[in-house]
Each structure stands twice: as structure tokens, then as C-alpha cells.
Amino acid sequence: MSKFFTSRKIFDNVTQIGGLGGELCYLIEGSEKALLIDGLTGVGSLKAFVRECTDLPVTLVLTHGHVDHAGASFEYGKCYVNPADVALLYEHGDIDKRYGFVMGGGKPEGAFVPKKEDVVPPCAVKTLPVQDGDVFDLGGVQIEAIAVPGHTVGTMVYLDRARRVLYSGDACNANTLLGLPCSTTVETYAKSLDHLATYLKGIDKFYGGHGLQAVPAYIVDEALILCEEILSDDDDRFETEFLGRKFLYARKFDGMFHREDGGIANIAYVMEKVYNK
């Protein structure tokens, strides 16, 4: 039992681990090695928690460099990350930023409230490059990296072909944020989704960085339609504020990010980052 983390088996060799801010990562075990996809916020020792889950040597690989995905980099001292997101990893390593993430929105009554001293301090990290097509062989389990620039310039997702599962981070979900300083344009994101779509015949579902349940792989098809509508000025342009920023959303939704029309995918963007210049 941990104050900082929750865990559950989603496959016999895959553990979904949750942090205090609702962020998720995935520990995948092969016969020889284990792969930790994402590192939460670095509030509490994820490295120690993972050691309780497996005796195998662990490699940390990031979907992207954001505060809620890269925290354990500062514990392991080494991680695989797309080079385009290395600067972001360090920028989001700030202790106040990471502590603020887990404290954001308040805590339910009786929930464990961490102290700032529980945040793993930032340090120099040996960043190893991960690129589209790279494969991590864990011994009987192969995980393939796919580049999906959009949410960040260096966003990666990870495919288990044998399980027909994609570990997608924040690349494509019900609240895909594109209107951030580190994001690509909608036009670039559409090209990334076109690339990801070439893998869809071999994928049944996505496990992402937020939300415990998997989403169907056709979320990519929905997101592609939204990109086309945004680019042709034919989307809802639903104005709202999220994380202190103003966004336009491709589709109207309720307070739980459920689209009014029943679809799953949604895209948040700003007009300055729609077209490539």
C-alpha cells in the first residue's frame, strides 16, 4: 500500500500505475527486462514503487516531456525521450510546477496530501534519443515507438503488436491539447495522425496518460475528421478555459469532456496554431 501511488494489472505482464494528480504510467515486463512508459510527476518515489512491482532491470521511456509524465527521470537519472522534448523535460522539472500539478483542483476529503519535500528534486538526466520505428525488446515482448507530433513536438506513443494495444500518453484523447507553447499546429498534427492511422489495423485500444479505462482505436479516425473540420473552418469552435488558458475546442462538451454529439475525440487549439506558415 502506497500513499503516493495506486496500481492495477491490465494484462498479466502490464501494471497501470497512477499518481496523486490522476496521471498514469505503464510498467511492461518481458522475460529479461521491464519498460516503464512515462514517469508521472516525481512526487513520491516511483522508482521505489516500481521496484516492489518487478525485480527486472527497468528502462524509463517517455511519451513526452510534460510535468505529469517525466518526473521519474530525476530519480532514474536516465530516460529515453524524443530529442525535441528534452528542453521541455527540464523546464517542467521545476519543483513548484510538479507540486502544483498534484495539488491542482483540490483533494477529496480524507485524501493524502503530499508535502513539497516529497517532490523528487531535479537533476541532470542522461537523455537517450527515441525515434519513430525504434523497438524495445524486453524478452518475448517487443514495444515499438511511433512518433506523433502534436500535443508536443516530440510526442511518442508505444505499440505492443502482440497485444494489439497502444500506450498513447496524451497524443490522442477526449481532451487533446494542441494550443500550448510546446504544441505543433493542427495541420502538422493531422499529418501525425495520418501516420498513426497506418497502424490502426493492428490496434484495438489505447491506454493513455489520464483516465483508467482504454479507449477504442477509432478515436484516431474521429480526431482526423476534427482536424479536417478545423482546417476548413467547419468545427464548433467551442470557447472555454482549461488550465488557466483559453482554448477553442473542435466539439462542444460537458464538464466531464463528454462530447454533446456522443463522439470520443476532441481537440483544443488556438487560432495562431492552426496552419503551418
Side-chain angles (χ1 to χ4, degrees):
M1 192 67 158
S2 170
K3 293 181 179 180
F4 296 96
F5 309 104
T6 59
S7 66
R8 69 179 184 117
K9 285 281 189 181
I10 56 174
F11 299 108
D12 58 356
N13 69 323
V14 182
T15 304
Q16 182 189 69
I17 302 173
L20 290 174
E23 73 280 23
L24 299 170
C25 66
Y26 298 88
L27 178 66
I28 305 174
E29 297 174 83
S31 61
E32 300 171 8
K33 304 173 185 177
L35 190 69
L36 181 62
I37 298 176
D38 279 344
L40 308 182
T41 53
V43 178
S45 177
L46 180 59
K47 185 176 182 180
F49 186 81
V50 167
R51 181 51 57 217
E52 294 295 318
C53 298
T54 183
D55 294 326
L56 294 168
V58 176
T59 297
L60 174 62
V61 61
L62 305 183
T63 59
H64 61 293
H66 273 158
V67 58
D68 50 332
H69 295 262
S73 303
F74 304 114
E75 275 201 287
Y76 283 93
K78 180 170 70 172
C79 71
Y80 282 87
V81 59
N82 186 288
D85 270 19
V86 170
L88 185 63
L89 183 159
Y90 284 111
E91 177 190 339
H92 281 224
D94 177 78
I95 287 178
D96 288 335
K97 189 181 291 285
R98 289 188 281 142
Y99 184 69
F101 179 88
V102 299
M103 296 301 292
K107 294 288 182 188
E109 186 175 346
F112 172 67
V113 178
K115 298 178 180 179
K116 193 175 289 189
E117 296 79 50
D118 293 320
V119 182
V120 175
C123 64
V125 178
K126 183 177 182 179
T127 54
L128 304 172
V130 60
Q131 304 282 4
D132 190 74
D134 287 349
V135 175
F136 296 89
D137 190 342
L138 310 180
V141 178
Q142 287 77 40
I143 305 297
E144 182 177 348
I146 304 170
V148 189
H151 178 58
T152 69
V153 177
T155 289
M156 306 293 298
V157 298
Y158 298 93
L159 173 61
D160 184 336
R161 289 182 184 269
R163 295 279 192 188
R164 298 178 59 87
V165 167
L166 189 81
Y167 299 97
S168 56
D170 292 348
C172 185
N173 52 43
N175 183 26
T176 305
L177 299 177
L178 294 191
L180 300 172
C182 56
S183 301
T184 71
T185 63
V186 175
E187 188 174 351
T188 292
Y189 182 53
K191 293 177 182 177
S192 298
L193 291 178
D194 276 333
H195 176 55
L196 181 56
T198 64
Y199 294 85
L200 290 186
K201 288 183 179 179
I203 305 172
D204 293 328
K205 54 189 175 181
F206 290 12
Y207 279 98
H210 307 274
L212 296 174
Q213 303 305 317
V215 297
Y218 64 73
I219 191 171
V220 172
D221 297 321
E222 290 189 356
L224 274 167
I225 291 171
L226 296 183
C227 286
E228 292 171 3
E229 292 179 353
I230 294 168
L231 291 167
S232 61
D233 194 18
D234 194 33
D235 66 305
D236 289 347
R237 284 198 182 179
F238 181 55
E239 295 186 34
T240 192
E241 189 171 303
F242 183 69
L243 298 177
R245 296 175 182 268
K246 292 182 179 179
F247 293 103
L248 298 172
Y249 277 81
R251 283 286 181 273
K252 294 179 180 178
F253 59 89
D254 65 17
M256 299 299 292
F257 292 99
H258 298 141
R259 275 172 44 175
E260 290 184 357
D261 63 4
I264 301 173
N266 212 343
I267 296 173
Y269 66 99
V270 293
M271 287 306 299
E272 303 83 61
K273 285 196 167 187
V274 172
Y275 305 101
N276 294 335
K277 296 179 181 178

